[in-house]
Structures are given as structure tokens and as C-alpha cells.
Amino acid sequence: MIYGYNDLLLDQIPEDPEFRQNYTRMMKAVECIEKQVNFTMDYLDTCSPHSDWYSLESIVQEALSGYAITNVPVSTDLGNAEILADPLMTKVFVNLIDNAVRHGGNITEIRITFTVSEDHGLIAIEDDGIGVPPDEKSRIFSPGYGHNTGMGLYLTRMILATVGFSIQEAGREGYGARFEIRVPPGHYRIAG
């Protein structure tokens, strides 16, 4: 309904640049709300009531199979790691890979690894692109922040939070982005 009124109003918008800018911001907010509603509906439709164990390699490969990447190889070093997670974990990797391709500049590779430390498992998704400026590292996960819809990283953080995982950007500007997903004890294991 809002988009129908938008189409009707487009020809009637005054030529005032400030008015047009405010109108554009308003429509961007409407798009963000729509993305949040769609995410919620998608989550409710696909979410199982309980988490289950998934092969990390299988999740990443499923994300890659549904995403057309051109000229950007993705390498993985995930071993036999499994995570106790939600079926929406695939969307996390789709969002992070898409983010690298769209905003990383002239990236030549994406690497996804899993390591274990004393108190957590760590999934790292990194590229060799332009990286994230230090003053943007905390803001990139805010709804509406960014160059496209501003929802990808926000939704990624929401999905991860539902299973008790956390995410941060730990790369260096000029050397590439590095998203680190911290997996708490009891939510990862090495199969076999």
C-alpha cells in the first residue's frame, strides 16, 4: 500500500532538494522496516524450535551454492567442525560473503576458517579488500547503517544472537575485513 502511494506521489514531489532528500530517507526507512518484517517471517517459517548440530563445512557450501560469486574464490579451512545452531546459519554466511563482494573493493579471495581456543570456537570470514575504518566497526551492525539496505550485518548479528553466538569486525583498514564469530563452549565440536 505504501509503495502504491509512493508511485502516486512521485510526480507531485516538490523540486525542493531538502524535501526530496527527506522523502528519500523516509522511503529508505520503509524499506528497512519491510526487510525486518520479512526477516521475522522467514525466521518464523524456517526456524525449528530447537537448535541442532550442523557441519560447518556443509553450512558454508550451502551458502555458496545459493550465491553466484564471480571471480572471487572462497577457500575454507573448517576441518570437521560442527556447530549447535539454527538452520538460518546459512544466511549468516550468505550475508557475510555478499558483504565482502559488495563492499570489499577489489577483493581477490575470501577465507573462512575455524579454530578452537581455550574458552571458545572462532569462525573467521576474511577478505583481502579495503577493510572497515575503525570508527565504523561498531556501527556496521546497526539497522539501516550501510550502503545498500543497511540490514545485512544487522540481521547477521540477530541470527547469531538467537543461538548465543557473537560477532565482531576485527580486520585492519587497507588490509581487508575480518568478521569473527565467537562460538561458546558446548556449541561446537570436532566430529570424528
Side-chain angles (χ1 to χ4, degrees):
M1 180 180 263
I2 290 174
Y3 292 111
Y5 283 115
N6 178 55
D7 291 342
L8 292 173
L9 290 173
L10 281 176
D11 294 334
Q12 300 173 21
I13 295 175
E15 291 297 323
D16 177 27
E18 185 177 350
F19 183 90
R20 286 184 174 271
Q21 184 179 27
N22 289 333
Y23 184 81
T24 301
R25 286 180 182 152
M26 179 188 71
M27 289 309 297
K28 187 171 182 177
V30 167
E31 289 174 17
C32 286
I33 292 167
E34 180 182 36
K35 294 273 186 193
Q36 288 175 333
V37 168
N38 288 339
F39 166 77
T40 302
M41 295 304 292
D42 191 25
Y43 185 80
L44 293 173
D45 287 343
T46 62
C47 178
S48 61
H50 302 287
S51 297
D52 204 353
W53 288 100
Y54 295 93
S55 158
L56 195 50
E57 182 71 38
S58 296
I59 292 171
V60 170
Q61 292 308 317
E62 184 179 337
L64 291 172
S65 71
Y67 186 79
I69 300 176
T70 56
N71 302 324
V72 181
V74 178
S75 64
T76 61
D77 184 8
L78 304 169
N80 293 327
E82 294 181 345
I83 56 174
L84 184 60
D86 186 277
L88 281 177
M89 277 301 291
T90 302
K91 287 188 181 268
V92 166
F93 290 98
V94 168
N95 283 341
L96 292 171
I97 292 165
D98 182 61
N99 192 71
V101 172
R102 285 181 188 257
H103 307 297
N106 293 323
I107 64 171
T108 61
E109 69 174 324
I110 297 171
R111 295 171 303 283
I112 305 173
T113 59
F114 180 80
T115 55
V116 176
S117 73
E118 290 181 21
D119 65 341
H120 65 274
L122 187 71
I123 303 167
I125 301 94
E126 56 189 325
D127 62 59
D128 60 351
I130 59 175
V132 179
D135 62 326
E136 291 187 24
K137 287 182 184 285
S138 62
R139 294 186 294 171
I140 59 175
F141 296 102
S142 300
Y145 187 83
H147 302 291
N148 279 343
T149 64
M151 297 302 292
L153 291 177
Y154 170 70
L155 295 176
T156 294
R157 186 178 67 181
M158 283 180 55
I159 292 169
L160 291 170
T162 64
V163 291
F165 297 4
S166 62
I167 187 170
Q168 68 175 3
E169 202 292 318
R172 288 180 39 213
E173 184 179 15
Y175 294 92
R178 177 181 167 91
F179 289 92
E180 295 180 344
I181 299 171
R182 185 176 284 237
V183 183
H187 288 257
Y188 64 90
R189 66 186 183 190
I190 306 301

